[in-house]
């Protein structure tokens, strides 16, 4: 909720909860975000604080304008209050006015949003995995069998006193059960909503004070203020009843742009933690279904632990801070700058910004009325541009590959080390344009993937060729490469078209010895038994590792490449990248494949087994002179009577890659399924 009128209404709700004309209370008694405030001095926690911005109910608070901050300071002075809190400000906002007013950031948990890009099950399956989705559906079914589901417009609450009383009672009882140490393990409206907020201790029931001495933001007085305020028409209460007993009650509010819904709170009448979890997960699933049925595009879960909320379907996490002015607080330096550009960035790139809307990729617009993109609003979600903030997908990618064999140390990388490209070949073009200037050479090691040479020539970059040598074409001439002093050296490892791996000692020596950048194309690394170089990018500022989801992950049609490098290089590449090249459909396909990785990993084992079988059969075949060792999903084969064999294969309707112009008398054979491989062997038998 980002509109000033909405925030003013929420301020009135908070005042009603506190029983005061002004929103003033000690932070320790509010207990809204204990983990965030736990690091503060006890004196700060106990001191009365004026709460500005969106109050504690708003998922986030826009940065108040300078005149509003000045007014907040005057109010604090008039009330003799030494502290001011503006809670839940997005880090992507311009916080200069807050810093200028003497407020300092206190890190909080991120906002968690579930974006509904299709049917609920289709949306959740790629995010949480098929097993987790089945578990959530099981919980939802079990709860639905036991308890009815009802939604009540808050404007109609006066006609349903039982709902008002049950809501206040459930939140009061839940506040009594909770302890500060438990605060970090629940979620709903962020981490606080599922189990309510602590109540203030000198009333009883509803808007009164509780024995534990804490303010309770969801008491009956607050509910009445919300039901009779400006937000009542957009707010609904949801309840579950088992017979005549209300076992759960919460609140949702529709966004002002009409595209989504905020889940503000829910309270549950159960001591059993397992039962509470069942109800909570089942209720979120029901909210997703209701939102989708109503044509809404997202459900906002509030602030919460990102890892927990991922398991509930959240796919957008917006970093936020609370901003506090206190006598003990000092204003830190602004840490919002983009990563410093790599020293390898070509001079023209250093003078240009990230192009167009990609500059605003960290500024979420799901809860705004967005009139910036000049698209057609009447033709559905496909008329919108793709999501630009792919940080959550990058997190999923890193987490998935970190679990693969040969990827130890990848968990040290962050989403700042990742850039998605339109296939790995797009990454090659980007890095050459971003890192090499006219006159600076590019080194390739033939036989290798031909598009490296193609892009270097298109960009008019001098080309240095240092061929691989050795019987298996797997040995680098490191001394010759270093003597050439190229700006960029591109290695294909595992090699295409040979299929072998390079000597890791030679690769390490090249990375350490060159004054330029080393690019390692690992398009086939998932088929290899040897380790990836991905983890090394955290230690070397001159290393870029290119990956793809076209090969082992079976997503050639989705066009998804991945560049792994230090943030300064990623920033340089981003300045040249077409903003919307990675479509929403591709993002969904990638997320689905990575989250449900079992079939892909199983297929890699099948390909390796077929590779061994086919290699053994070809090695004994009279048409074959040699089968090169392979750690890919293809085999390089030297043929007897190369031209004749290739002609006979074409006549038999079998296409293989003719690599004879690169490596004499050879062809490259992709590993097919058993039937395709048997057809190849049969055709070869007739070739001679």
């Amino acid at each position: 909720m980002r509109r000033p009128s909405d925030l003013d209404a929420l301020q009135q709700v908070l005042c009603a909860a506190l029983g005061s004309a002004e929103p003033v209370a000690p932070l320790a008694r509010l207990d809204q975000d204990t983990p965030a405030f736990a690091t503060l001095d006890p004196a700060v926690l106990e001191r009365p604080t004026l709460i500005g911005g969106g109050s504690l109910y708003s998922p986030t608070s826009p940065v108040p304008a300078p005149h509003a901050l000045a007014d907040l300071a005057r109010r604090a002075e008039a009330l003799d209050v030494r502290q001011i809190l503006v809670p839940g400000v997005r880090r992507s906002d311009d916080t200069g006015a807050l810093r200028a007013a003497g407020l300092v950031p206190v890190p909080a948990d991120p906002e968690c949003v579930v974006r509904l890009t299709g049917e609920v099950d289709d949306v959740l399956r790629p995010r949480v995995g098929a097993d987790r989705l089945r578990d959530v559906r099981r919980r939802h079914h079990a709860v639905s069998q036991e308890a009815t589901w009802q939604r009540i417009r808050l404007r109609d609450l006066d006609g349903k006193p039982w709902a008002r009383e049950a809501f206040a009672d459930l939140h009061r009882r839940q506040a009594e059960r909770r302890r500060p140490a438990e605060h970090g393990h629940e979620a709903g409206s962020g981490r606080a909503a599922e189990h309510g907020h602590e109540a203030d201790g000198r009333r009883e029931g509803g808007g009164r004070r509780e024995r534990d001495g804490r303010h309770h933001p969801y008491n009956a007085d607050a509910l009445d203020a919300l039901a009779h305020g400006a937000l009542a028409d957009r707010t609904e209460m949801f309840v579950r009843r088992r017979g005549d007993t209300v076992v759960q009650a919460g609140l949702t509010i529709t966004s002002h742009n009409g595209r989504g819904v905020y889940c503000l709170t829910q309270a549950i009448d159960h001591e059993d933690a397992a039962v509470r979890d069942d109800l909570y997960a089942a209720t979120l699933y029901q909210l997703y279904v209701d939102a989708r049925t109503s044509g809404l595009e997202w459900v906002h879960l509030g602030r919460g632990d990102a890892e927990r909320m991922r398991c509930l379907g959240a796919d957008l996490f917006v970093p936020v801070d609370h901003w506090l002015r206190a006598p003990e607080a000092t204003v830190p330096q602004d840490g919002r700058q983009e990563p410093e550009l790599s020293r390898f960035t070509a001079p023209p790139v250093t003078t240009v910004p990230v192009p167009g809307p990609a500059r605003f990729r960290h500024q979420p617009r799901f809860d705004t009325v967005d009139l910036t993109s000049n698209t057609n609003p009447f033709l559905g979600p496909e008329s919108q541009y793709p999501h630009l903030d792919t940080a959550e997908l990058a997190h999923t990618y890193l987490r998935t590959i970190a679990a693969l064999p040969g990827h130890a140390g990848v968990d040290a990388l962050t989403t700042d080390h990742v850039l998605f490209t339109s296939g790995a070949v797009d990454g090659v073009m980007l890095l050459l344009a971003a890192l090499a200037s006219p006159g600076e050479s590019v080194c390739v090691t033939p036989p290798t993937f031909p598009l490296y040479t193609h892009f270097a020539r298109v960009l008019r970059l001098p080309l240095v060729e240092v061929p691989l040598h050795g019987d298996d074409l797997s040995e680098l001439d490191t001394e010759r490469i270093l003597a050439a002093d190229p700006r960029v050296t591109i290695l294909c490892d595992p090699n295409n078209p040979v299929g072998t791996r390079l000597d890791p000692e030679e690769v390490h020596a090249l990375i350490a010895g060159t004054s330029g950048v080393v690019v390692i194309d690992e398009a086939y690394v998932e088929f290899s038994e040897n380790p990836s170089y991905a983890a090394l990018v955290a230690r070397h500022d001159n290393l870029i590792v290119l990956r793809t989801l076209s090969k082992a992950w079976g997503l050639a049609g989705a066009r998804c490449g991945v560049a792994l490098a230090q943030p300064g290089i990623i920033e340089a590449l981003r300045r040249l990248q077409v903003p919307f090249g990675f479509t929403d459909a591709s993002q969904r396909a990638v997320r689905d494949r990575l989250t449900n990785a079992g079939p892909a990993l199983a297929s890699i084992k099948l390909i390796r087994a077929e590779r061994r079988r086919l290699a053994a059969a070809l090695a004994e075949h009279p048409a074959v002179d040699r089968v090169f060792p392979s750690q890919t999903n293809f085999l390089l084969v030297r043929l007897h009577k190369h031209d004749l064999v290739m002609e006979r294969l074409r006549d038999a309707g079998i296409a293989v890659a003719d690599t004879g112009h690169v490596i004499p008398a050879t062809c490259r054979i992709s590993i097919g399924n058993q039937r395709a491989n048997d057809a190849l062997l049969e055709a070869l038998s007739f070739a001679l």
Side-chain angles (χ1 to χ4, degrees), residues 21 29 227 244 247 323 335 376 404 430 437 456 458 469 484 542 569 577 579 607-608 645 657 671 678:
R29 298 175 72 184
D244 294 330
V247 296
W323 284 78
N376 189 329
L404 299 178
L430 279 176
S437 298
V458 166
H469 55 277
N542 67 332
I569 286 182
Q577 188 175 38
I607 287 173
R608 287 177 174 175
V645 171
I671 306 300
D678 287 345

Side-chain angles (χ1 to χ4, degrees), residues 238-262:
F238 59 86
V239 296
R240 286 193 187 273
R241 287 198 286 182
R242 185 179 289 113
D244 294 330
T245 303
V246 176
V247 296
Q248 184 182 32
L251 293 175
T252 63
I253 183 167
T254 304
S255 64
H256 78 278
N257 66 359
R259 293 173 53 193
V261 63
Y262 302 95

Side-chain angles (χ1 to χ4, degrees), residues 560-583:
C560 178
V562 183
L564 301 175
Q566 292 205 354
I569 286 182
I570 296 297
E571 172 67 9
L573 302 184
R574 203 185 301 278
R575 294 188 180 198
L576 296 183
Q577 188 175 38
V578 175
F580 298 116
F582 190 22
T583 69

Side-chain angles (χ1 to χ4, degrees), residues 326-373:
E328 297 86 348
T330 57
V331 180
Q333 295 295 316
D334 189 345
R336 297 191 309 115
Q337 293 87 359
E338 294 287 357
E340 183 177 351
L341 281 175
S342 166
R343 62 190 174 97
F344 297 104
T345 306
V349 180
T350 64
T351 62
V352 297
V354 173
R359 292 196 302 272
F360 310 109
R361 66 191 180 279
H362 294 314
Q363 298 182 19
R365 293 183 176 177
F366 65 92
D367 56 356
T368 63
V369 177
D370 187 359
L371 302 177
T372 65
S373 58

Side-chain angles (χ1 to χ4, degrees), residues 21 63 93 414:
V63 176
D93 290 350
T414 71

Side-chain angles (χ1 to χ4, degrees), residues 271-433:
E271 299 289 345
D272 188 327
V275 176
R276 288 201 304 268
D277 285 344
D278 281 348
L279 268 172
Y280 181 55
T283 295
L284 288 187
Y285 184 84
Q286 184 66 57
L287 290 175
Y288 303 160
V289 171
D290 287 358
R292 176 64 180 171
T293 302
S294 301
L296 300 179
E297 300 172 14
W298 50 266
V299 175
H300 192 294
L301 305 181
R303 292 193 299 273
D305 176 72
E307 203 57 47
R308 172 177 165 82
M309 297 311 237
R310 284 188 184 98
C311 296
L312 295 166
D315 73 320
L316 177 62
F317 299 92
V318 184
V320 299
D321 298 301
H322 303 312
W323 284 78
L324 177 67
R325 193 189 76 176
E328 297 86 348
T330 57
V331 180
Q333 295 295 316
D334 189 345
R336 297 191 309 115
Q337 293 87 359
E338 294 287 357
E340 183 177 351
L341 281 175
S342 166
R343 62 190 174 97
F344 297 104
T345 306
V349 180
T350 64
T351 62
V352 297
V354 173
R359 292 196 302 272
F360 310 109
R361 66 191 180 279
H362 294 314
Q363 298 182 19
R365 293 183 176 177
F366 65 92
D367 56 356
T368 63
V369 177
D370 187 359
L371 302 177
T372 65
S373 58
N374 303 339
T375 56
N376 189 329
F378 300 105
L379 296 178
E382 290 78 13
S383 67
Q384 301 174 20
Y385 280 116
H387 297 301
L388 289 172
D389 190 347
T390 56
E392 182 59 20
L393 187 59
H395 175 274
T396 301
Y397 178 76
L398 291 174
R399 181 179 58 187
T400 301
I401 68 168
L404 299 178
H407 287 72
V410 170
D411 52 3
L413 303 182
T414 71
T415 57
D416 290 335
H417 292 89
V418 181
L419 180 71
F420 291 105
T421 62
S422 299
V425 291
D426 179 45
V428 174
M429 184 71 165
L430 279 176
L431 66 89
L432 289 179

Side-chain angles (χ1 to χ4, degrees), residues 50 78 86 113 173 229 311 361 407 527 557 672:
L50 176 63
V86 179
V113 183
R173 288 157 57 191
C311 296
R361 66 191 180 279
H407 287 72
F527 301 108

